[in-house]
Every structure is written in structure tokens, then in C-alpha cells.
Amino acid sequence: MKNNKRIYLSPPHMSGEELEFVKEAFASNWVAPLGPMVDAFEKEFAQTIGVPYACALSSGTAALHLALRIVLGRAVGHRSSVIGQARSAEVICPTLTFAASANVIVYEGCRPVFIDCSPDTWTLDPELLEEELEGCARKGKLPRAVITVDLYGQPCDYGRILKVCERYDVPVIEDAAEALGARYEGRPGSGDGRPVGPGFAGSFGVAGAFSFNGNKVITTAGGGMLVSHNKEVVDKARFLATQARDPAPYYQHSAIGFNYRLSNILAAIGRGQLKVLSERVAKRRWIFDYYQRALGDLPGVRFMPEASYGKSSRWLTCMTIERQKTGDRGPKTDRGPSGVVMGIIEALERENIEARPIWKPLHLQPVFKGCRVRGGRVAEGLFENGLCLPSGSILTEDDLERICAVVRKQVLGF
């Protein structure tokens, strides 16, 4: 009988230990808001990635938003009368990423400036970043911050990025939403000039943001984490995330706050998931290697390279299929994925298998029309030729064989 079960791109993968923590939370009657599971999850998470401070939040976007708000100096005393006064301020962001990385810039009344990715890593190009900062310095208008993105589990080149940002005194915020468990193996300097050794993604810059969405390496069903080496940053994040309530015997607010904290039940799930983090990363790397062995010989197929300076978590296995080498077997799209990419996605969907194109560059998104971009051709090429394959750690070898058979047949045309 034909196996037609649904294969998702990156589904949740429970270990069984989560339920014990959830039962403990129920037994204590700590459901929400906050509670001892949140406190423990923050402590254990910080220890896992090698930072001293962490704040559990409702999403990775919330973590990124609060990090930027704090860097912009709006953590305290940001009254509604002054909101939006920094409309001309700019924040740099890679163009090849999910929209949330740039949405938070707009939340804060700033303008995104997009930078292309490096063809060697698919992450923020340090050379183009340096060119942009040099140009901004000549005009006397440096950006307020740089948001880096550890794309598809691959850390950015922090040795080079932090060095150039420190030269111009521009703070770095690390969007590590897709990269929990990935490592940077180089020796960058921190944003404050303090030398640091190799470390996990999210531990560089002023603050790091993680996501526990259902499709990530580990999940809390929905949630995120802000981490930092700076206690003041995390204290401010915790204050803002709980509606910025002042320490008074009544409800008083001298800053605009948010309802961004994580519930005790979701933190309980996170504690169970965190125990199997290394296993989940190892499985996703094994899945990448399987695909590379099974499909790497196909004409025009190239897999996302692993940077020489680090170790990717391989959150998603991504590959490119160059049209001129494989032909064009599918519908053409205007400034979108190639026909062969869409043909593979559609062929997989007919077999009840989910796959997706690479992120559409943000400088091509209608909502960001008019924003400045430096470069862009590399990201556009990856969007045209790129494909994300099912990568969940729950996949079996039979699942992978089924996926690869469809891809091979579509690419080879038989």
C-alpha cells in the first residue's frame, strides 16, 4: 500500500519529558502568568547557550522588538507623546530573512536598510555592511543598530561583523530565532570590546533573540527568549514585557509596555524540550547529510554551504537548483521562484509532502518598497533558485527516501 501520510516541513517533536514538567505546573496551580517554570526555564536556557541572563517571552518577535527598543534607549520614560519622533532613524537588517526581522524596526518608527547576503554563507555580507557603515559615517548619519540574522541555523560571521560595528560604535542585535544550538567557532570581539571565545548562536552582540515557534528546533508551542551578557538589558526587557508597571502600590506606568511574557505551562514544555536540544540538532544535521548524499549528484543542485567559522544547526535543509543547468519544467513567475523550483514544490505537494521556497528578499516585499538596499542580487538569486526541504527531527529514513524519490524524478525529468 502506498504511504501517503503528510510530511510537514518542520513539525514539533515531543520527547515525552515535557508532560512531566506540565503535570508539575498543574499540580502547583501555577498556570499563568509566569511562575517557577518560567524562572527555571530562563536559568536553564541561559546556562545552555552560555549567557548569564535570559527573559522568557511570548515570541521571538517580541524578544527582537524589546531588544531593539532597549538599544534605541526607549526602555524607560518613552511616553506616548514622543512615540514616532525618530522616523528618520535607520536600522540595518539583512534582506534575506523572514519579515519579522525588519517588522520590529518599523514598530519603533525607524526605517530598515537592507544588506545583501554573502554567497558563501547566505548570511549578512560583512563587506557590504562595512561599505554601508563607511558611507553612513561620511554623511554623518550612522544607523542606530544592526540586526543580524543567523539564517536557517547558520551563524553570521561575527568576527568581522562585530569588529566593523565596534569601529563605528553601532550596537548589534542577534536574531538567532532559527539557530538555537548552532555554534560560532571563531574568536570575535564582543560589542563592548571584551574578547570572547567560541560560543553558541545568540550569545553575541548586545542581545540575542530566539523563537520557540512550533517549527523550530525546540518548541514551547509559541514563545521566545531574549538573552544578554548585560543584566540591565534583561531587566529592562522583563519590565517592558510585563506592561512596564512601575514598582508602586497601585498601577502606575511611566513607560509604554507590552504583554510579552511567557506562561508557566509553555515554559514547562520548554524545559522538557531543552533536555533534548543536542539530540534534535544532531538529527537535523544528519538529515542534511542524508539529502546531500541522496541528491548532491543531480545536475545544477547545490546545498546551503556551511561557514568555515561555525557549525550550523541545519534548522532547515536548503538547496538551490540552477535553471540553466536543469531546464525549466514548470510555470514561470515574475521575480519569484523558478519554474523548476515550483515544479518540485508542486510535485512534492501531490505526494502530500510540504516544501517551500527560500525567503523572499525583504527589498522585494511590497510593504518595504522604497527602503534602501545595498546589493541584493545574491539574495534574489537564492530566492529564484532556492528550495527548503522537509527537515523536522521527527523524520524517518523511509520519509527521506520518499521525499528524495520525488525530487530526483522531477529534476531528472523521468
Side-chain angles (χ1 to χ4, degrees):
M1 182 179 293
K2 183 178 179 181
N3 182 2
N4 199 40
K5 75 170 184 179
R6 180 67 169 168
I7 296 179
Y8 293 96
L9 186 73
S10 183
H13 186 180
M14 297 292 105
S15 69
E17 295 196 54
E18 299 86 358
L19 188 57
E20 296 306 311
F21 287 108
V22 171
K23 286 178 179 178
E24 184 180 335
F26 268 88
S28 69
N29 204 35
W30 278 100
V31 179
L34 303 176
M37 286 293 171
V38 173
D39 297 338
F41 186 35
E42 290 174 343
K43 181 179 179 180
E44 291 161 4
F45 189 88
Q47 291 173 342
T48 296
I49 67 165
V51 296
Y53 309 109
C55 177
L57 299 165
S58 57
S59 68
T61 305
L64 200 59
H65 181 204
L66 293 185
L68 180 60
R69 193 174 184 86
I70 291 164
V71 163
L72 292 174
R74 301 177 185 175
V76 179
H78 184 189
R79 300 178 187 276
S80 59
S81 60
V82 301
I83 293 175
Q85 68 179 8
R87 289 283 171 187
S88 63
E90 295 180 334
V91 174
I92 288 176
C93 173
T95 189
L96 192 64
T97 182
F98 180 54
S101 305
N103 285 346
V104 299
I105 300 171
V106 181
Y107 295 168
E108 287 301 304
C110 300
R111 287 182 61 83
V113 175
F114 298 119
I115 304 291
D116 205 353
C117 57
S118 165
D120 298 327
T121 66
W122 297 18
T123 61
L124 184 69
D125 190 320
E127 291 183 10
L128 292 181
L129 174 63
E130 185 169 15
E131 289 177 12
E132 180 63 27
L133 291 178
E134 286 175 353
C136 290
R138 285 194 297 270
K139 291 184 280 188
K141 190 180 178 182
L142 285 163
R144 298 291 299 276
V146 171
I147 295 176
T148 61
V149 177
D150 299 328
L151 193 76
Y152 293 124
Q154 176 117 283
C156 292
D157 190 347
Y158 287 106
R160 298 171 67 186
I161 289 172
L162 292 176
K163 183 177 180 181
V164 69
C165 287
E166 187 173 323
R167 185 191 313 157
Y168 293 101
D169 196 27
V170 177
V172 172
I173 297 168
E174 185 178 355
D175 181 350
E178 302 173 1
L180 179 58
R183 286 187 62 86
Y184 179 91
E185 301 291 355
R187 296 191 65 84
S190 70
D192 59 7
R194 175 174 47 86
V196 295
F200 283 101
S203 64
F204 305 109
V206 174
F210 292 90
S211 170
F212 306 129
N213 192 25
N215 64 359
K216 296 302 189 292
V217 174
I218 68 169
T219 183
T220 58
M225 190 79 75
L226 182 149
V227 301
S228 180
H229 291 275
N230 187 326
K231 183 176 184 297
E232 184 180 6
V233 169
V234 173
D235 286 345
K236 287 180 177 179
R238 189 170 283 116
F239 168 72
L240 290 173
T242 48
Q243 297 289 17
R245 182 183 175 185
D246 292 337
Y250 41 81
Y251 288 94
Q252 175 173 298
H253 305 270
S254 57
I256 298 296
F258 306 90
N259 184 15
Y260 276 175
R261 287 294 256 146
L262 190 69
S263 81
N264 204 52
I265 295 297
L266 297 189
I269 297 172
R271 291 187 70 193
Q273 286 272 283
L274 195 58
K275 286 182 172 293
V276 293
L277 173 61
S278 60
E279 296 173 28
R280 298 294 184 258
V281 172
K283 179 65 179 293
R284 288 185 187 250
R285 288 183 60 85
W286 179 85
I287 288 168
F288 176 91
D289 290 342
Y290 185 100
Y291 280 130
Q292 195 167 47
R293 290 192 305 270
L295 303 174
D297 64 325
L298 292 174
V301 168
R302 298 289 183 274
F303 284 85
M304 181 178 180
E306 185 165 56
S308 60
Y309 54 71
K311 184 176 180 181
S312 172
S313 67
R314 298 297 189 191
W315 169 54
L316 294 183
T317 291
C318 303
M319 69 180 194
T320 57
I321 311 99
E322 295 182 27
R323 188 188 313 188
Q324 63 269 27
K325 294 184 180 179
T326 59
D328 193 4
R329 306 182 188 95
K332 289 184 180 295
T333 55
D334 182 24
R335 298 200 80 179
S338 70
V340 68
V341 168
M342 293 308 300
I344 293 172
I345 291 173
E346 291 164 8
L348 287 167
E349 187 58 43
R350 287 193 294 272
E351 297 299 323
N352 209 18
I353 300 168
E354 181 184 19
R356 292 183 186 173
I358 297 292
W359 297 125
K360 181 176 183 178
L362 297 186
H363 71 273
L364 299 182
Q365 299 284 357
V367 71
F368 296 119
K369 184 178 181 180
C371 291
R372 193 165 76 256
V373 59
R374 184 172 289 272
R377 295 294 295 276
V378 175
E380 290 171 14
L382 291 172
F383 173 51
E384 179 183 7
N385 299 311
L387 174 68
C388 301
L389 292 169
S391 307
S393 52
I394 203 168
L395 287 173
T396 67
E397 193 161 350
D398 286 345
D399 294 332
L400 293 169
E401 288 179 3
R402 182 177 152 204
I403 296 161
C404 290
V406 176
V407 175
R408 290 193 68 89
K409 181 178 180 180
Q410 186 67 22
V411 173
L412 294 174
F414 60 84

